[in-house]
Amino acid sequence: MSRTIIISNRLPIKIESEEGGFVYKKSAGGLATGLGSVYKEGDNLWIGWPGISSGSKEDYQKITADLSKENLVPVFLTEEEIQDFYEGFSNATLWPIFHYFARYAVFEETFWESYKGVNQKFCDVIIQHLRPDDTVWVHDYQLLLLPGMLRAHFKDISIGFFQHIPFPSYEIFRSIPWRRELLMGMLGSDLIGFHTYDDMRHFLSSVNRLAGIGYEHGQISIENRRVTVDAFPMGIDYEKYATTATLADTLAREVRYRKSMGEEKIILSIDRLDYSKGIPQRLRALELFFEENPEYLRKVSLFMIVVPSRDNVERYRLLKVEIDELVGRINGKFGRVNWSPIHYFYRSFPLEALSAFYRMADVALVTPLRDGMNLVCKEYIASKIDQQGVLILSEMAGSAKELSDAILINPFDIKQIVDALKQALEMPKEEQKKHMAIMQSSLKRYNIHHWVSLFLDRLAESKAQQRHSITQKLNQKAHQEVIKSYQDAQKRLIFLDYDGTLAPFTKDPDQAKPTPELISLLTQLSNDPKNQVVVISGRGRDSLGLWLKDLPLDLICEHGIWRKEKNEDWHKAENISDEWKQTIKPVLELYVSRTPGSFVEEKNYSLVWHYRKVETGLGELRTRELSSHLKYLTNNMQLQVLEGNMVVEIKPAIVNKGVAAKMWLEKYPADFVIALGDDRTDEDTFKALPEDAFTIKVGFEATEARFFVPSTVEVHALLADFTEVS
Ligand code: GDG
């Protein structure tokens, strides 16, 4: 039976040693709750670090045995690995880069080596437990290389990856020396999820620019797989927070805490200690708020919880000092004997206390400078059952995309936070309730369980799509099948596209001249009396016609406008005019002047705008603009606008490679028909051929062809094998 294996850096437990054994405390975090229903079921597993870095062999054996009863598998890490992999590469390299704190990032070769080593360690443990029909779900930035490592062992296994923190813009991500390896590691997955659409498009753009791999509708084609990239905003365990808020223990705590605070209004903030959370900025905003609005002194105070985190790292220690000093300064400046502007706790609390704080708070002030999602703001809303309250939320948190009923602020704009505080404290109760109800109904629906099933269903769907894709790789078996049919045939019709199929695609179209090896291959193939070889291309006859003029083969140029059978003259398709060029050429020239690196190629009866030398991204953008401009212009002109490989081509609509291929099929009936091509225009050829023809796409994009091969190398190998048999 197929199982689901969850992988994350930390297991959802905490181990404490007690005399004579260990005590295992379950984590109550959102992810642990959400995935609890998954990993505890049947033979499913959760694999990760159990949180301890020292112990005897016997201890580790005991822990492994104890955890296996809970469907948990430990990956033990050493002190050194914790330092270099976890505190080093994960938290001192990736964390600052991914949160746009590039100046804090440390690039250390030893950290990177350790990161690779620990990802490999995870891979080795997983392999011992994995079965080929399992589904693996890898979590977060500590394990970016793992999907690629697993893929190398299990070609067909279903792998999902979710990143809980932001994915930065390409301009930031590119500064990591090991950027390409990280991307390739992630691309081992079948489905890659982020919290927001922005993270997703930043990732796609990095893949495009750094690995040179394009994408269409959020899908990346790599080797023989299609990787789906999408946004899955994570929810919370809504019922848990809503229920805890009504428990007797929570309500008793609320009464107790309230009593000690008096009548004053409460602004609440809860974060882990982290520079991405914007804690000093928030404190400065509070200081300014009291300076500008002294009437609020003694009437409002900030209840601030900072949960200790990574505080053995220098950067975090410094942050702690900065926060302590700011709190001291503000309390010293505005405090009175019986009133403090800030109640500050550097510790964590049990869920019931947290729930009581959420209930007590008139305003939640959530101001991260960057946050993948931020669950605290969602928990605040879920806890406000039958209560009002106002959420002030940073637009830099992923959750801001969903919670548009909050007061959204730019956390770098301290004046805006001050205004937001005033607005929140003065907001009429009815208005508060209205916004709260809207946000609650959304969070109730898009809860953590919804998120888990959405991701896993999407992963299953993407994998099923991949497995049922009709285009198969031309593997050894299929290759032999093609050779056998070729050998058995008496008459063969062979259609070969040129650029990207016979000759590798180059930045400079003039560099695509056939090599002596290619000339020799085509000559041998054409000399076989059973073969009718047709080179079918969008190229003009002034290049391809000249290059191949001495070979005994047929040529179809400019998508069929010019046709030449061997030893005969060129023929032009009928009813073709070139008058339209006068109207279209100036438009293409306009796009050349706006797009450095692009140029216009003029063929006898078609025009091509090339952008293969244009900055990545800009060319694609201009293509969208140009295509829609041209489609409007050519409405009644019987022209076709084709988007090809780094080109936009305009040609008479009555000719295309499919129409030309059909003419050859009628004239030269054959019992073996094959077509090879890499471009969108070759799809017309594939579609025109009979079902039993061998149609082979060069490359990984979606296609009508029956088979695909990765590159021109495999095309040459197949043609060379043809020449070996007869
Ligand atoms: C990462 C991403 C993304 C806090 N104090 C106490 C306590 N907490 C709990 C909160 C909340 C969690 O910790 C914090 O979650 P966040 O989402 O706010 O932030 P990160 O820890 O940075 O999480 C983040 C998240 O992953 C999920 O994908 O949203 O963007 O950075 O659940 O309630 N819990 C208890 N006592 C405390 O004192 N029990």
Side-chain angles (χ1 to χ4, degrees):
M1 212 186 90
S2 116
R3 305 171 309 162
T4 304
I5 317 285
I6 310 285
I7 322 283
S8 68
N9 175 51
R10 274 302 302 268
L11 280 177
I13 44 126
K14 208 171 160 195
I15 303 181
E16 281 167 16
S17 34
E18 267 192 6
E19 264 177 60
F22 297 101
V23 181
Y24 302 92
K25 292 203 171 144
K26 290 205 171 106
S27 151
L31 190 64
T33 321
L35 296 175
S37 55
V38 178
Y39 82 92
K40 287 179 191 152
E41 211 176 84
D43 286 346
N44 291 351
L45 293 175
W46 189 326
I47 301 179
W49 180 50
I52 53 164
S53 52
S54 60
S56 65
K57 202 171 159 206
E58 290 71 36
D59 286 346
Y60 284 1
Q61 279 168 351
K62 168 100 178 67
I63 291 171
T64 307
D66 289 347
L67 292 181
S68 79
K69 293 181 204 132
E70 305 288 326
N71 288 10
L72 300 173
V73 176
V75 180
F76 293 106
L77 301 181
T78 63
E79 273 305 334
E80 201 181 1
E81 283 169 337
I82 298 299
Q83 261 177 33
D84 294 350
F85 149 78
Y86 183 68
E87 283 164 9
F89 200 78
S90 301
N91 290 337
T93 309
L94 295 180
W95 181 275
I97 289 282
F98 282 25
H99 285 86
Y100 291 77
F101 284 84
R103 63 190 183 282
Y104 291 176
V106 176
F107 300 123
E108 275 273 359
E109 196 68 40
T110 45
F111 290 175
W112 166 241
E113 287 305 322
S114 179
Y115 187 81
K116 279 195 292 184
V118 171
N119 273 254
Q120 189 60 55
K121 200 172 199 179
F122 268 77
C123 182
D124 296 343
V125 174
I126 296 163
I127 286 170
Q128 291 168 25
H129 293 270
L130 210 56
R131 301 180 200 149
D133 59 346
D134 285 344
T135 293
V136 184
W137 188 2
V138 181
H139 288 265
D140 231 359
Y141 65 105
Q142 300 93 348
L143 299 172
L144 297 179
L145 299 175
L146 186 56
M149 290 173 170
L150 288 170
R151 179 67 61 207
H153 283 86
F154 293 89
K155 288 275 170 262
D156 192 45
I157 206 154
S158 187
I159 306 177
F161 174 83
F162 188 82
Q163 176 151 314
H164 290 262
I165 64 173
F167 195 94
S169 141
Y170 151 78
E171 287 298 342
I172 305 271
F173 182 76
R174 71 195 294 200
S175 53
I176 305 176
W178 310 278
R179 60 208 184 171
R180 209 169 174 281
E181 287 95 322
L182 293 169
L183 291 177
M184 297 316 284
M186 293 172 81
L187 289 174
S189 323
D190 297 298
L191 174 64
I192 301 180
F194 297 97
H195 281 304
T196 70
Y197 170 70
D198 281 337
D199 298 320
M200 162 188 163
R201 69 184 178 79
H202 288 152
F203 173 74
L204 288 171
S205 144
S206 286
V207 169
N208 190 212
R209 284 150 184 262
L210 296 169
I213 305 170
Y215 56 89
E216 214 170 4
H217 309 301
Q219 290 204 320
I220 299 169
S221 297
I222 178 165
E223 287 156 12
N224 57 344
R225 295 178 304 112
R226 214 161 288 168
V227 181
T228 304
V229 182
D230 209 345
F232 300 87
M234 185 173 163
I236 55 162
D237 187 352
Y238 188 89
E239 287 310 321
K240 182 172 99 180
Y241 284 92
T243 313
T244 311
T246 59
L247 292 180
D249 181 20
T250 309
L251 299 178
R253 280 172 190 267
E254 188 191 357
V255 172
R256 231 168 42 234
Y257 302 149
R258 250 289 157 213
K259 224 181 233 166
S260 66
M261 307 279 298
E263 286 303 298
E264 65 199 83
K265 286 198 169 183
I266 292 171
I267 302 166
L268 177 70
S269 85
I270 302 181
D271 313 87
R272 265 186 320 98
L273 177 73
D274 201 289
Y275 47 80
S276 65
K277 302 289 184 185
I279 302 170
Q281 288 77 358
R282 185 182 312 160
L283 290 169
R284 285 194 194 97
L286 186 78
E287 185 176 24
L288 186 63
F289 172 77
F290 281 127
E291 266 165 21
E292 289 187 350
N293 303 282
E295 69 276 17
Y296 276 106
L297 291 168
R298 295 171 197 246
K299 298 214 175 90
V300 179
S301 52
L302 174 69
F303 201 89
M304 185 168 86
I305 297 167
V306 178
V307 181
S309 168
R310 309 175 194 173
D311 47 7
N312 46 348
V313 175
E314 181 64 5
R315 176 77 49 207
Y316 287 74
R317 237 190 339 256
L318 290 175
L319 176 67
K320 167 81 172 40
V321 171
E322 187 183 359
I323 294 170
D324 289 352
E325 284 176 3
L326 275 167
V327 171
R329 187 174 88 198
I330 297 168
N331 275 346
K333 190 160 156 191
F334 301 108
R336 296 288 180 274
V337 176
N338 57 353
W339 177 77
S340 283
I342 304 170
H343 302 270
Y344 167 41
F345 304 90
Y346 184 64
R347 50 166 286 202
S348 67
F349 289 87
L351 178 66
E352 292 71 22
L354 220 57
S355 180
F357 299 148
Y358 285 142
R359 286 186 58 85
M360 272 163 56
D362 297 281
V363 178
L365 184 57
V366 183
T367 60
L369 304 180
R370 265 316 143 169
D371 219 334
M373 171 54 69
N374 193 289
L375 301 180
V376 166
C377 59
K378 292 189 170 184
E379 293 164 4
Y380 172 67
I381 291 163
S383 307
K384 285 292 190 187
I385 292 297
D386 298 329
Q387 276 186 310
Q388 57 280 350
V390 185
L391 171 64
I392 300 178
L393 177 60
S394 160
E395 61 190 39
M396 309 294 176
S399 47
K401 307 280 192 292
E402 290 168 82
L403 301 174
S404 51
D405 270 71
I407 302 180
L408 296 181
I409 50 97
N410 169 1
F412 296 93
D413 186 345
I414 288 183
K415 273 196 73 56
Q416 199 191 12
I417 302 179
V418 170
D419 293 345
L421 279 172
K422 199 151 190 289
Q423 187 192 342
L425 291 166
E426 288 168 10
M427 188 181 285
K429 287 203 165 40
E430 280 316 305
E431 198 182 331
Q432 295 186 26
K433 275 192 183 152
K434 189 182 91 194
H435 293 304
M436 208 40 107
I438 293 173
M439 294 191 280
Q440 281 171 339
S441 86
S442 156
L443 293 184
K444 197 170 180 177
R445 175 165 180 201
Y446 298 102
N447 61 36
I448 184 74
H449 306 291
H450 174 85
W451 177 78
V452 169
S453 48
L454 198 69
F455 187 91
L456 287 175
D457 289 352
R458 190 67 199 282
L459 177 57
E461 193 186 299
S462 318
K463 198 68 195 175
Q465 240 178 27
Q466 241 181 56
R467 288 183 178 141
H468 292 118
S469 152
I470 38 165
T471 309
Q472 302 286 327
K473 187 172 186 184
L474 190 76
N475 57 18
Q476 200 54 34
K477 189 164 159 255
H479 184 104
Q480 290 311 327
E481 188 195 327
V482 178
I483 300 289
K484 171 90 174 53
S485 302
Y486 178 91
Q487 199 165 17
D488 293 347
Q490 294 310 308
K491 281 276 163 221
R492 308 168 187 131
L493 187 50
I494 302 170
F495 293 102
L496 302 169
D497 167 52
Y498 189 77
D499 292 79
T501 303
L502 288 175
F505 188 77
T506 63
K507 284 240 166 200
D508 181 353
D510 293 331
Q511 298 266 305
K513 267 191 188 159
T515 58
E517 292 75 29
L518 178 59
I519 294 284
S520 145
L521 187 59
L522 290 175
T523 309
Q524 284 184 62
L525 205 59
S526 313
N527 277 338
D528 187 324
K530 292 180 185 165
N531 290 354
Q532 190 78 27
V533 178
V534 193
V535 174
I536 179 165
S537 169
R539 264 191 187 270
R541 59 182 185 145
D542 47 352
S543 61
L544 200 60
L546 283 179
W547 296 341
L548 303 181
K549 74 176 177 351
D550 298 326
L551 302 192
L553 44 69
D554 301 346
L555 285 170
I556 297 173
C557 286
E558 283 195 47
H559 304 283
I561 291 174
W562 291 103
R563 308 187 282 255
K564 179 185 170 313
E565 289 167 59
K566 67 181 147 197
N567 309 324
E568 298 207 1
D569 288 334
W570 285 100
H571 288 283
K572 184 171 78 91
E574 282 163 18
N575 301 324
I576 299 287
S577 133
D578 66 351
E579 281 169 22
W580 57 270
K581 286 205 270 178
Q582 300 161 18
T583 320
I584 302 299
K585 200 171 170 197
V587 179
L588 299 189
E589 294 295 356
L590 175 74
Y591 279 77
V592 170
S593 65
R594 289 175 57 195
T595 319
S598 69
F599 61 94
V600 175
E601 181 192 359
E602 181 162 359
K603 301 183 197 170
N604 297 146
Y605 292 92
S606 53
L607 288 172
V608 192
W609 181 75
H610 287 262
Y611 65 93
R612 54 181 96 187
K613 291 180 183 166
V614 175
E615 180 190 352
T616 311
L618 180 63
E620 286 74 9
L621 177 77
R622 290 281 188 266
T623 298
R624 300 267 77 74
E625 293 172 28
L626 177 60
S627 284
S628 63
H629 191 158
L630 288 173
K631 275 175 189 148
Y632 165 74
L633 260 186
T634 56
N635 219 351
N636 291 314
M637 294 170 85
Q638 268 98 45
L639 292 175
Q640 190 185 10
V641 180
L642 290 170
E643 286 180 29
N645 200 351
M646 304 277 177
V647 292
V648 177
E649 177 147 18
I650 303 94
K651 64 171 192 57
I654 53 167
V655 288
N656 68 43
K657 287 184 180 178
V659 173
K662 274 211 168 107
M663 294 169 76
W664 256 256
L665 278 171
E666 273 171 31
K667 195 159 177 195
Y668 300 101
D671 47 353
F672 174 88
V673 180
I674 190 168
L676 293 108
D678 73 309
D679 203 336
R680 281 193 212 166
T681 60
D682 297 310
E683 296 297 317
D684 290 328
T685 316
F686 298 150
K687 280 187 257 179
L689 301 193
E691 260 185 27
D692 60 351
F694 291 100
T695 46
I696 303 178
K697 165 93 177 173
V698 186
F700 304 107
E701 287 83 32
T703 176
E704 294 285 329
R706 286 171 59 199
F707 298 98
F708 72 86
V709 291
S711 70
T712 56
V713 174
E714 290 77 18
V715 175
H716 283 221
L718 182 69
L719 299 183
D721 284 354
F722 283 168
T723 63
E724 299 287 314
V725 294
S726 196

